[in-house]
Each structure stands twice: as C-alpha cells, then as structure tokens.
Amino acid sequence: MSNETCDLRGNFIERSDDKLAKEKLTEMQYRVTQKNATEPPFKNEYWDNKREGIYVDVVSGAPLFSSKDKFDSGCGWPSFTGPLDPGEIVEKKDPSHFMVRTEVRSRTDDSHLGHVFGDGPAPLGTRYCINSAALRFIPKEDLEKEGYGQYAGLFKS
C-alpha cells in the first residue's frame, strides 16, 4: 500500500504517522483518526453544533456527513442518520471493549471516524456516532470558497 494519499484538491498527503502528527493534526485528531481513540463525550467540538453545512474528513477533506442528517442522540458525540456518500464509508467489525460494534472508517485515507449503531431514528434506524476530532465542519456559506460547491444545493430552501 502506498504511503501517500491525495486530498480532494489534488494535494498529496504523506501517510506517515510523524508527518500527520507534526503538520496536520492536533494530538486528539491524531489519536482518534490514526490510533482508533475516542474523544470524551460532551467535550468535543461538534456534538451540539446546530449550524448548517457539511462535515468532511479532517485528514483528506472527503465529504462525509451533512447537517441535514445530524440529530441529537443524547450520546455526547455528533450523530448522523447516514453519510453524504455511502461509498466514502467503510464499516468493519470491532470486537474491542468487551463488545462487538461496527467501526466506521473513511475510505479515502482509512481514518477511524467512530461507530454505527442500529438505534437511530426512522426510517433508516441508523446512528453514525462520529468523533468530532475526525471531522472538519464547512458552514453552508463557505461551501463554494472551500471547494464543496456541489453540496450548496442541500441548503437551498
């Protein structure tokens, strides 16, 4: 497997732990995305974010979730009913912590994002419980200038 990946703007990101830790990610972002850690509930950036926009992978910039699909699950982490592009999400069996869960990872750069559960709202019944540290929020008014203009239509009345 190559040690590089490409972000949405065509910039190559070296997949070296040291380079990610030193240049791109905070300590918490690194621990969550690269070492499968979980940030504290209710003490993270987006658990109660109510602004309209999209959430992208903090490492690659790949679009992952929309505020249109975000809901308050009471768990202390951002929760979504589904991803913007299901092809960008990889689900894996996670037998850690004395239970079996379904881990959610980013396809583009293999970042750990969080977990998906079957206790979400109807009609899908899914709850993607995602670490804020794995995400970067792009407000709807910044979608064009940040290179995500194709998602602006989601927020037109």
Side-chain angles (χ1 to χ4, degrees):
M1 180 180 222
S2 171
N3 200 31
E4 292 186 340
T5 189
C6 191
D7 69 13
L8 291 180
R9 291 168 189 83
N11 302 314
F12 281 98
I13 301 169
E14 186 178 335
R15 288 289 310 197
S16 154
D17 286 351
D18 289 340
K19 189 164 183 80
L20 281 171
K22 291 176 185 169
E23 294 182 13
K24 183 156 177 106
L25 304 175
T26 67
E27 182 181 341
M28 180 61 75
Q29 290 170 330
Y30 174 79
R31 287 180 40 233
V32 167
T33 63
Q34 306 304 301
K35 301 297 181 189
N36 304 333
T38 299
E39 66 195 358
F42 302 104
K43 294 180 181 170
N44 56 75
E45 190 170 4
Y46 302 126
W47 76 272
D48 64 347
N49 184 26
K50 308 247 189 303
R51 295 178 65 196
E52 289 188 309
I54 66 169
Y55 296 83
V56 302
D57 184 312
V58 72
V59 177
S60 71
L64 298 172
F65 300 97
S66 166
S67 62
K68 295 282 189 186
D69 299 314
K70 190 172 185 287
F71 68 100
D72 182 1
S73 68
C75 71
W77 292 280
S79 295
F80 304 89
T81 56
L84 273 172
D85 176 2
E88 184 53 38
I89 299 295
V90 174
E91 295 182 5
K92 297 173 102 176
K93 183 178 174 181
D94 177 6
S96 65
H97 301 290
F98 307 107
M99 64 181 110
V100 177
R101 301 176 292 174
T102 303
E103 179 189 14
V104 179
R105 300 188 72 84
S106 167
R107 181 173 305 283
T108 299
D109 58 24
D110 195 36
S111 291
H112 170 74
L113 303 173
H115 292 86
V116 62
F117 302 96
D119 60 359
L124 301 177
T126 52
R127 173 175 58 99
Y128 286 81
C129 185
I130 307 298
N131 289 283
S132 289
L135 303 172
R136 182 168 77 92
F137 178 70
I138 313 291
K140 70 177 181 178
E141 59 272 14
D142 293 341
L143 290 172
E144 284 290 336
K145 85 174 177 189
E146 292 272 353
Y148 299 96
Q150 68 270 35
Y151 296 101
L154 293 172
F155 306 102
K156 300 228 190 274
S157 300

